Amino acid sequence: MLFNRYRRGLFITAFLAAPVTLYLVYVISPYIQAFYISMTDWRGVSATPAFIGLENFRRLLEDGTFWKAVTHNAGLLVLLPLITIVLALFFAFLLNVGGGGRAVGGIRGSKFYRVVFFFPQVLAVAVVAVLFQQVFRPDGSGMLNAPLMALGGKPIGFLSDPGVAFWSVLGVMVWQAVGFYVVLFSAGLASIPRDMFEAAQIDGAGRLSLFFRITLPLLWDTVQVAWVYLGIIALDVFAIVWVMTDQHGGPDWSTTVMAAEVYRNAFQYFRFGYASALGVVMFFFTVGFAILSLRLTRRERIEF
Amino acid sequence: MPDTPRFTRRELLRSAALVPVAGALAACATPAAKPSASSSAAPVATSAANPFGVSDSKPLEVWIFDGGFGQDYAKNIHQPLFKSKYPKVEIKHNATKEITKVLQPRFAGGNPPDVIDNSGANAMDFGALAQDGQLQDLTPLLDAPSWDDPGTKVRDTIDKAVIDIGTYDGTFSVLGYVNYIFGIWYSQKAFKDNGWVPPKTWDEFLKLNETIKKSGKMAPFTYAGKFPQYLYEVLLTMAAKIGGPEVLVNIDNLEDGAWTSEAMKTSATAWAEIGAKYLMEGTAGLDHVQTQTAQNKYKVAMLPSGSWLENEQKTTTPADFEYGMFPVPDFTGSDKMPYGTLHSQPSENFIVPAKGANPQGGMEYLRAMLSKKAAGDFSEMVKTVSTVKGAGDGRQLSPGAASATKAYTAAGANIVYYRWQTWYAQLKDEAIAATGELMSGGLTPDKYLERLQKKSDEIKNDSSIKKYKR
């Protein structure tokens, strides 16, 4: 008995030791080291950085570009989950429940749409970014501007007009995210017993009340998870901005985000200490958001 | 199930604590001081033929930036030449487009390579390297006899600007190999066909823009809209022409009011007018390749660029295009500097890391590069002008390189340059952002210069940023 227990412990330990060690060495320890580096003046090449206490944090309080980046992240934090979830819920509803017929089911061709919606998710972020650079081109070869110019309009500088660029970034992020959440919500919908919808339909509920009275409340858990995921994506967005926008977060800093500023300070200005300080601040923003949103959205769970 | 999962978890934690992770944790992202590689093992005697004491037994690791000039010049010109003298030295040739990503960890780890072509958009910051004592003092190279002639010092075979610009903290440590010559580029064929003449004054330049615009054949002017540094280059050069080279020196030295000087105001206002009236449609959203290709397709007449342009565009340029370059025109007759004043700057920067295993070999490699044959072959191969005096003499030059060389010779001593953009990367990014706005009308010339002045002052007051003077 005791021997058995011991063997089982050994067995589990043997399996877990490697991943836990890797996790500690490659995930936890760099986090801890980043906290230390953020209090040094390390410029990336020296072997002996000097400790300067909280100097970097004092400096970042006055860094206009960084705070501009923070406002962009905040904007994304509100808009990205909102738009994505609303669109994804709408599509998932149509694909699964919203069909007009007598039986509960999606609209016509829903199987095909489901695949199409998922396409963007399959593409790597860098591919999406380069793709949209071409879509947004400001001349006749841009996919959006070509028809606009053919109709006699002036081309829109989707990425070159500082007033528009942020919205272009948001649009691409929504485009890329929606497909995944359609699938997520579809899975959620599939776990809701069919008879609930049928009962409601028999009672004479239309599509609208079906959605607000049945679908949404029963999907609330999934929506909550989606919200946290999307919020974290909004806070640590990097590749789309860095690859797609002009001047990595431009023009005129109009699309820069926290992660881009961390990268810029580290690998372009060679201020690794300062960049780590930005990273530490970003870490607290992200953790703070996760805790806050999980607290706020806590709600009664419905068991089927 | 005889036992509870709780117990095994505790047991697991206990065993996990035994895993010796502490040692592994110490060796990660944070830099660790290591004993410096002993480069003093039996020094090789120096001689006139081997001025740095290159040892046959030490390999030489070379990293080339694989950009506009490629890497073949190093493999086919420089390294064979080095080998001809030191056949026993093993050369480890490497090339990358991502100098920083590949080599920054090597510096932090204390084992950098021996020669680096630190160029391109992802080059390492020279200031950070210099501040940290990572750059080998190349003064011995300047005082060594040249590869070709033991009676001439290397110092006397290269353009003087190389020494000025390669000096960090009073130590010559960066060797610029290519002479970038900046100006406004056009197609000699398009100009001839349409009867357009390169302008000598700003009025003529405006009139030419108007003529081209009215002709409807092509747009008059463009620049790499995504990279407005191409535009502030001509803006600054014209300001220096109007107000003298000290306009740029003051900017470099972060002087109060350097950006908001009269000359800068005049130049910024003039170029903002070009931005408002004569730019090719969509310029703001296009990059250098897209605008340059538009020029190759005769969609636009003129753009500001440098002497690397012809090589960069060699695959899209029509055979009879005939690149030509003219210098920034006179603004008025009372400009401080005469017609023909050019912005020229040594670039394609080579360094020898001080803490590498074989700095002697590194310096010797640079000495080989600076021979007339190596530099001449290089100029011909990559269609450009090197910083070695007279290396292009008697060589077959392409139309663009010939035009730039002619302008360079004509300029004589009237050469201006600026260094703030390599010294203060933050100021460069702000200038890029603001110049784009100036050209698209989002900022007035006054607001534009105020904004850059503000950034310059910020940098001046930031004790964490190292300051330079020229």
Side-chain angles (χ1 to χ4, degrees):
Chain A
M1 172 81 174
L2 190 71
F3 180 67
N4 221 351
R5 193 185 285 164
Y6 171 74
R7 281 223 346 207
R8 207 175 131 193
L10 196 71
F11 182 73
I12 295 175
T13 311
F15 267 88
L16 280 180
V20 168
T21 310
L22 287 176
Y23 188 75
L24 283 173
V25 172
Y26 289 109
V27 180
I28 301 297
S29 103
Y31 273 25
I32 296 167
Q33 291 180 33
F35 279 80
Y36 169 69
I37 296 174
S38 74
M39 286 184 266
T40 68
D41 63 357
W42 195 40
R43 295 207 64 188
V45 285
S46 140
T48 48
F51 185 81
I52 52 167
L54 296 177
E55 180 71 15
N56 284 327
F57 292 92
R58 191 195 54 73
R59 185 166 288 123
L60 78 81
L61 288 179
E62 295 157 13
D63 184 339
T65 314
F66 179 68
W67 290 105
K68 206 167 199 176
V70 171
T71 61
H72 294 147
N73 277 114
L76 288 175
L77 183 60
V78 175
L79 295 170
L80 178 70
L82 195 71
I83 299 174
T84 310
I85 288 175
V86 166
L87 280 176
L89 268 177
F90 176 68
F91 290 139
F93 180 73
L94 286 185
L95 289 182
N96 294 285
V97 198
R102 303 212 54 182
V104 176
I107 56 165
R108 242 183 322 148
S110 60
K111 285 213 177 97
F112 173 70
Y113 292 133
R114 206 173 311 194
V115 175
V116 171
F117 277 129
F118 203 68
F119 274 162
Q121 195 65 34
V122 180
L123 299 174
V125 183
V127 175
V128 171
V130 174
L131 201 74
F132 271 91
Q133 268 182 343
Q134 297 309 313
V135 171
F136 288 145
R137 261 184 82 137
D139 53 12
S141 13
M143 211 178 99
L144 291 173
N145 276 320
L148 204 67
M149 287 162 80
L151 293 173
K154 273 198 99 58
I156 298 173
F158 287 102
L159 294 173
S160 50
D161 183 340
V164 181
F166 175 79
W167 303 102
S168 304
V169 171
L170 178 65
V172 173
M173 289 179 75
V174 169
W175 179 84
Q176 219 217 347
V178 158
F180 177 77
Y181 292 93
V182 168
V183 173
L184 187 75
F185 292 147
S186 295
L189 280 173
S191 70
I192 301 173
R194 292 267 124 163
D195 36 354
M196 289 215 181
F197 291 108
E198 278 162 11
Q201 267 181 339
I202 289 164
D203 289 344
R207 281 186 199 180
L208 214 60
S209 46
L210 210 57
F211 179 79
F212 282 106
R213 303 271 170 96
I214 308 284
T215 314
L216 194 57
L218 293 180
L219 268 185
W220 194 248
D221 261 357
T222 321
V223 170
Q224 199 172 304
V225 169
W227 195 280
V228 176
Y229 280 3
L230 284 164
I232 289 175
I233 290 176
L235 282 176
D236 62 14
V237 48
F238 171 70
I240 284 277
V241 168
W242 196 262
V243 179
M244 187 177 75
T245 62
D246 299 354
Q247 301 142 34
H248 309 308
D252 199 13
W253 312 117
S254 62
T255 56
T256 190
V257 288
M258 288 189 286
E261 288 313 309
V262 172
Y263 189 92
R264 197 190 318 278
N265 274 287
F267 296 101
Q268 296 198 331
Y269 302 163
F270 278 75
R271 303 210 290 177
F272 283 76
Y274 183 67
S276 297
L278 299 184
V280 166
V281 170
M282 191 175 148
F283 169 79
F284 282 117
F285 277 139
T286 315
V287 169
F289 163 77
I291 293 173
L292 201 72
S293 55
L294 285 175
R295 281 274 154 86
L296 288 180
T297 50
R298 191 173 287 168
R299 218 182 123 170
E300 287 288 302
R301 185 181 285 262
I302 298 160
E303 302 282 350
F304 303 122
Chain B
M1 280 288 159
D3 39 40
T4 61
R6 211 170 275 271
F7 188 86
T8 48
R9 197 187 301 157
R10 206 184 304 145
E11 201 167 46
L12 169 74
L13 285 174
R14 206 185 304 144
S15 351
L18 296 174
V19 179
V21 286
L25 285 183
C28 247
T30 22
K34 268 189 206 151
S36 60
S38 58
S39 50
S40 56
V44 176
T46 60
S47 65
N50 185 357
F52 313 116
V54 176
S55 154
D56 278 347
S57 59
K58 282 190 197 162
L60 182 72
E61 188 180 351
V62 180
W63 280 85
I64 300 296
F65 167 64
D66 188 8
F69 297 133
Q71 49 165 307
D72 287 347
Y73 69 85
K75 277 196 292 192
N76 302 340
I77 298 173
H78 295 155
Q79 287 162 14
L81 189 66
F82 184 89
K83 274 272 191 188
S84 70
K85 196 161 178 189
Y86 303 95
K88 286 189 195 141
V89 174
E90 183 201 350
I91 298 180
K92 295 181 184 163
H93 170 86
N94 301 278
T96 178
K97 289 183 179 8
E98 301 275 358
I99 293 283
T100 292
K101 274 185 204 152
V102 180
L103 296 177
Q104 183 260 333
R106 301 273 306 267
F107 278 95
N111 63 333
D114 306 308
V115 176
I116 305 172
D117 170 15
N118 187 23
S119 302
N122 298 305
M124 282 179 292
D125 188 272
F126 288 108
L129 291 170
Q131 194 176 352
D132 228 60
Q134 297 280 1
L135 299 178
Q136 174 76 21
D137 179 356
L138 297 180
T139 317
L141 172 66
L142 293 179
D143 294 328
S146 73
W147 189 274
D148 301 309
D149 170 19
T152 317
K153 285 181 176 176
V154 170
R155 184 190 296 279
D156 301 319
T157 64
I158 54 178
D159 290 344
K160 196 184 159 291
V162 177
I163 302 171
D164 292 345
I165 288 195
T167 299
Y168 281 79
D169 299 332
T171 309
F172 175 65
S173 40
V174 178
L175 175 75
Y177 193 51
V178 175
N179 222 339
Y180 283 168
I181 300 163
F182 296 83
I184 296 168
W185 294 74
Y186 63 102
S187 157
Q188 298 189 34
K189 175 185 187 301
F191 270 49
K192 256 179 249 155
D193 289 355
N194 293 296
W196 301 329
V197 183
K200 292 208 161 167
T201 66
W202 187 256
D203 281 338
E204 282 174 30
F205 182 59
L206 288 180
K207 270 187 206 127
L208 177 63
N209 273 290
E210 194 61 42
T211 312
I212 298 174
K213 191 178 179 183
K214 286 227 177 85
S215 79
K217 285 183 179 140
M218 56 183 91
F221 194 82
T222 192
Y223 70 99
K226 284 193 186 182
F227 306 109
Q229 56 267 46
Y230 282 82
L231 197 278
Y232 74 54
E233 187 279 310
V234 275
L235 195 159
L236 286 166
T237 306
M238 194 159 96
K241 225 179 128 345
I242 297 169
E246 55 277 11
V247 172
L248 301 181
V249 175
N250 290 341
I251 288 176
D252 281 348
N253 290 342
L254 302 175
E255 301 289 350
D256 296 332
W259 285 93
T260 47
S261 68
E262 264 322 302
M264 281 300 290
K265 266 181 203 157
T266 313
S267 182
T269 312
W271 283 102
E273 188 189 346
I274 296 291
K277 287 187 190 162
Y278 300 119
L279 282 190
M280 180 174 75
E281 188 161 62
T283 288
L286 300 174
D287 66 17
H288 57 301
V289 176
Q290 289 163 337
T291 49
Q292 289 159 194
T293 306
Q295 188 184 35
N296 291 153
K297 291 181 181 162
Y298 302 111
K299 284 184 182 164
V300 61
M302 300 173 280
L303 53 80
S305 189
S307 46
W308 63 85
L309 174 68
E310 194 174 28
N311 194 53
E312 190 171 39
Q313 290 303 105
K314 64 184 173 211
T315 53
T316 52
T317 314
D320 58 353
F321 187 81
E322 268 193 88
Y323 266 115
M325 186 199 95
F326 62 84
V328 170
D330 283 338
F331 190 72
T332 62
S334 53
D335 283 2
K336 287 246 174 77
M337 299 191 76
Y339 177 75
T341 297
L342 280 183
H343 170 207
S344 164
Q345 196 145 345
S347 204
E348 202 71 13
N349 296 303
F350 283 77
I351 54 172
V352 176
K355 293 171 187 166
N358 190 3
Q360 300 86 1
M363 287 200 281
E364 185 68 0
Y365 185 86
L366 299 189
R367 196 168 75 100
M369 278 173 55
L370 293 174
S371 68
K372 251 194 178 152
K373 176 173 166 20
D377 287 354
F378 170 81
S379 302
E380 209 164 292
M381 182 171 182
V382 302
K383 299 190 176 69
T384 194
V385 186
S386 85
T387 51
V388 177
K389 286 181 194 163
D393 293 353
R395 301 271 180 164
Q396 191 72 39
L397 290 176
S398 49
S403 171
T405 310
K406 204 175 133 209
Y408 185 69
T409 317
N414 296 314
I415 297 289
V416 296
Y417 63 87
Y418 49 85
R419 305 189 63 187
W420 56 272
Q421 59 170 9
T422 36
W423 285 344
Y424 310 111
Q426 290 96 324
L427 187 55
K428 178 179 182 177
D429 280 350
E430 183 73 1
I432 287 170
T435 306
E437 283 295 274
L438 173 76
M439 292 304 280
S440 61
L443 280 174
T444 64
D446 282 339
K447 283 266 178 321
Y448 165 73
L449 296 173
E450 272 166 30
R451 202 172 129 177
L452 292 176
Q453 186 61 48
K454 187 170 158 261
K455 192 71 191 181
S456 164
D457 294 344
E458 253 172 48
I459 287 169
K460 189 174 169 178
N461 295 326
D462 188 334
S463 59
S464 77
I465 298 172
K466 192 177 161 55
K467 307 299 184 303
Y468 300 89
K469 285 270 175 229
R470 66 177 261 213

